[in-house]
Coordinates of all heavy atoms in Angstrom, one line a residue:
A147 N -19.7 -1.5 -5.2 CA -18.4 -1.8 -4.8 C -18.3 -2.8 -3.6 O -17.5 -3.7 -3.6 CB -17.6 -0.5 -4.4
Y225 N -4.3 -11.6 -19.1 CA -4.0 -11.8 -17.7 C -4.9 -13.0 -17.1 O -4.4 -13.8 -16.4 CB -4.2 -10.6 -16.8 CG -3.1 -9.6 -16.8 CD1 -3.2 -8.3 -17.2 CD2 -1.8 -10.1 -16.5 CE1 -2.1 -7.5 -17.2 CE2 -0.7 -9.2 -16.4 CZ -0.9 -7.9 -16.8 OH 0.2 -7.1 -16.8
G275 N 27.3 -0.3 4.4 CA 26.9 0.1 5.7 C 25.8 1.2 5.8 O 25.5 1.7 6.8
F308 N 10.8 5.6 -4.8 CA 11.8 4.8 -4.0 C 12.5 3.7 -4.9 O 13.7 3.5 -4.8 CB 11.1 4.2 -2.8 CG 10.5 5.2 -1.9 CD1 9.1 5.6 -2.0 CD2 11.3 5.9 -1.0 CE1 8.6 6.5 -1.2 CE2 10.7 6.9 -0.2 CZ 9.4 7.2 -0.3
L309 N 11.7 3.1 -5.7 CA 12.2 2.1 -6.6 C 13.2 2.7 -7.6 O 14.3 2.2 -7.8 CB 11.1 1.5 -7.4 CG 11.5 0.5 -8.6 CD1 12.1 -0.7 -8.0 CD2 10.3 0.1 -9.4

Side-chain angles (χ1 to χ4, degrees):
Y225 276 126
F308 300 97
L309 173 67

